[in-house]
Amino acid sequence: MTAETLCQITYCDDSEPGISRKKLRHGWGYFDPSGKRITDRAEIDRLNAIGLPPAYRDAWFCPTPRRPHPGGRLG
């Protein structure tokens, strides 16, 4: 991992509502904290780039990219 890559990692508080995903016919569907399907291509690409394995069934994603927050999960 390069220093530039490490600087891009941020943390989110996973006690807050986050983005979830569900398996659809041709890939994943991502849903915001209110349950609305995410259709923004840049946001979908960001979530796909995280590379979470398909076997992870209960996924939680930070709803705001690069939001600094002490502790918590990668976002």
Side-chain angles (χ1 to χ4, degrees):
M1 228 181 226
T2 67
E4 181 179 328
T5 302
L6 289 173
C7 290
Q8 294 177 3
I9 296 173
T10 59
Y11 294 89
C12 291
D13 181 355
D14 66 350
S15 67
E16 297 177 12
I19 294 171
S20 60
R21 73 175 184 182
K22 294 178 184 167
K23 184 74 173 154
L24 302 177
R25 183 181 297 177
H26 299 290
W28 296 105
Y30 295 98
F31 299 85
D32 69 15
S34 68
K36 182 179 174 192
R37 185 157 180 201
I38 295 171
T39 57
D40 178 58
R41 184 78 252 169
E43 181 66 356
I44 292 168
D45 290 344
R46 175 184 84 89
L47 297 165
N48 284 333
I50 293 171
L52 199 65
Y56 287 42
R57 296 175 189 233
D58 190 17
W60 181 96
F61 297 89
C62 181
T64 310
R66 303 193 202 298
R67 186 178 92 188
H69 196 291
R73 294 187 181 177
L74 294 174

